[in-house]
Amino acid sequence: FDNNYNDASGNNRNLTAAGSPTFSTDRKDGSHAVSFNGSNQYLNVPFGGSAGNFPNDAYNARTIAVWIKPAAAAISGSNKFVYEFGGSDDGIALRFNSGSLQAGIASGSSRATAVVNSITSNSSWVSGGWNHVAVVYDVNRLRLFVNGVLKTTTNLGFSAMTTTTNASRIAGSTGTNAFNSSQSSTNYTGLMDDLEFYSEPMGADQIVAVMNQSYTADTTFALPAIPAAPTNLISPAQPT
């Protein structure tokens, strides 16, 4: 969110703003973060409504990481969405709900949540400051990390996400989300920066590397050459 809504990956998945969110130099990465008023400001994600196109594709692993600096009203409010990707049939979402931080997931309209209650009292949470939140989906479990620390794991009754035609949104809900909650009064209040997607299910060390901007994708190394067969070996004397 460096004073624009362009896709830093180069895939042209640029966001579209509604309600004229503003940019702030209070940020975690680059030059700016985006600021939402909690009323009528949000970002629409491209390709929503097209099944099979990211983020509406099928998958069985995904990590979504983001820096947030929420206002107190967002944390204490009901059903305040940081983001929703996909819909109530197949999707992942993150919200604040009456003081708790909740990750939601849906596959084939089967839903589950990973919840950290009383988030501002949690030892990993930075009150009034920036916090890094990562939601990790890994086949049949959903994990929620706060500032690189695993806070909760939920076992799931499914093992894959299928395609959806529902739209996706940041800092609000379209009304079709993984929690299957309403669209009313869902807008997030506060700052947001460095929203990233990964196709792998990250662990704590990898998430900390993402936080520190030092993460590199896993590399497959070539196996070493097979050693040459030994020569000049002397056979031990055989018994007679």
Side-chain angles (χ1 to χ4, degrees), residues 9 11 15 37 42 48 55 61 75 83 86 96 101 106 109 111 122 124 128 147 157 173 185 187 195 228:
S9 73
N11 291 310
L15 305 173
N37 64 8
Y42 53 84
I75 299 172
Y83 57 72
F96 290 100
L101 179 65
S109 297
R111 276 174 279 281
N122 192 280
S124 298
N147 292 320
S173 175
S185 302
N187 293 84
L195 175 64

Side-chain angles (χ1 to χ4, degrees), residues 62-63 65 134 136-138 141 143 145 197-208 210 215-216:
R62 181 160 289 176
T63 297
V136 179
Y137 166 57
D138 184 9
R141 62 178 179 168
R143 292 177 290 165
F145 291 80
F197 283 79
Y198 297 89
S199 60
E200 58 190 294
M202 290 186 170
D205 290 345
Q206 294 167 302
I207 290 170
V208 170
V210 169
Y215 176 75
T216 54

Side-chain angles (χ1 to χ4, degrees), residues 62-81:
R62 181 160 289 176
T63 297
I64 306 175
V66 65
W67 283 101
I68 54 174
K69 188 177 181 180
I75 299 172
S76 63
S78 175
N79 203 34
K80 302 300 183 182
F81 275 74

